[in-house]
């Protein structure tokens, strides 16, 4: 694949326009791997806020895994080597993210002291919301890992 112009800013811009963290990262790059933006937005929409707002694995990390699958994923259930390769790639990307950000878990990245959010209802996106969240920074970092690893 030829060198692409950086899309890190585009991923952050998507988040700051209202898309969730996973959508912002996944849909920014999915077209490079054969998926249209609308499909990318739909398929990544449940993964935001730590999967369904449960505050588990960060949506940006889920997006990295999903994009690696679009590029290198296996389709043969008997191909153990290909499964191992994609799992190793996801671990490499996740480990890099965790080394820098100290976690891949949404609630830990947000500094929340809850096991699981009680409500599935997303918070209203306001200037205050964006100022108090590390999400734009997390999106930028995940996007940079994608560009370094998959592009």
């Amino acid at each position: 694949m030829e060198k692409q112009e950086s899309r890190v800013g585009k991923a952050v811009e998507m988040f700051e326009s209202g898309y969730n963290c996973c959508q912002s990262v996944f849909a920014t790059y999915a077209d490079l791997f054969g998926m249209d933006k609308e499909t990318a937005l739909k398929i990544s929409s449940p993964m935001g806020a730590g999967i369904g707002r449960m505050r588990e694995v960060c949506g940006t990390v889920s997006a990295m895994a999903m994009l690696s699958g679009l590029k290198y994923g296996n389709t043969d259930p008997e191909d153990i080597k290909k499964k191992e390769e994609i799992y190793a790639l996801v671990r490499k990307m996740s480990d890099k993210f965790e080394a820098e950000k100290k976690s891949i878990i949404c609630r830990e990245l947000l500094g929340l002291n809850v096991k699981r959010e009680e409500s599935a209802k997303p918070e209203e996106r306001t200037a205050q919301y964006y100022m108090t969240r590390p999400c734009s920074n997390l999106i930028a970092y995940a996007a940079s890992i994608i560009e370094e690893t998959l592009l």
Side-chain angles (χ1 to χ4, degrees):
M1 185 175 286
E2 68 183 57
K3 182 74 173 151
Q4 297 286 326
E5 186 175 319
S6 178
R7 297 184 180 189
V8 172
K10 182 179 176 192
V12 172
E13 193 175 286
M14 283 189 68
F15 177 73
E16 292 178 355
S17 72
Y19 291 101
N20 75 37
C21 47
C22 188
Q23 286 176 305
S24 300
V25 175
F26 187 72
T28 294
Y29 296 97
D31 68 294
L32 299 176
F33 307 107
M35 183 178 285
D36 66 277
K37 186 175 181 177
E38 183 177 354
T39 302
L41 288 169
K42 286 180 180 180
I43 202 164
S44 59
S45 65
M47 304 304 286
I51 308 172
R53 201 167 186 264
M54 292 187 290
R55 304 300 187 196
E56 296 296 338
V57 174
C58 175
T60 67
V61 175
S62 294
M64 290 191 303
M66 293 166 64
L67 288 163
S68 67
L70 280 179
K71 183 165 185 180
Y72 297 114
N74 69 302
T75 57
D76 178 359
E78 303 299 317
D79 191 344
I80 301 302
K81 180 153 180 54
K82 189 82 169 166
K83 285 182 184 181
E84 181 182 9
E85 288 170 0
I86 194 67
Y87 294 162
L89 177 61
V90 169
R91 286 173 173 222
K92 176 185 171 186
M93 295 170 77
S94 297
D95 288 349
K96 183 173 180 88
F97 185 94
E98 186 172 22
E100 174 71 20
K101 302 301 178 185
K102 308 301 179 225
S103 182
I104 65 167
I105 303 301
C106 177
R107 68 180 164 272
E108 294 172 1
L109 293 164
L110 295 180
L112 301 175
N113 291 323
V114 295
K115 174 68 175 148
R116 178 177 168 160
E117 287 281 348
E118 290 195 23
S119 173
K121 184 179 180 181
E123 292 177 52
E124 186 178 341
R125 299 289 184 91
T126 63
Q128 181 65 20
Y129 173 91
Y130 291 113
M131 285 179 15
T132 60
R133 295 283 172 154
C135 304
S136 293
N137 182 272
L138 300 172
I139 287 163
Y141 192 63
S144 71
I145 293 171
I146 288 160
E147 292 186 3
E148 177 185 301
T149 309
L150 301 180
L151 308 185

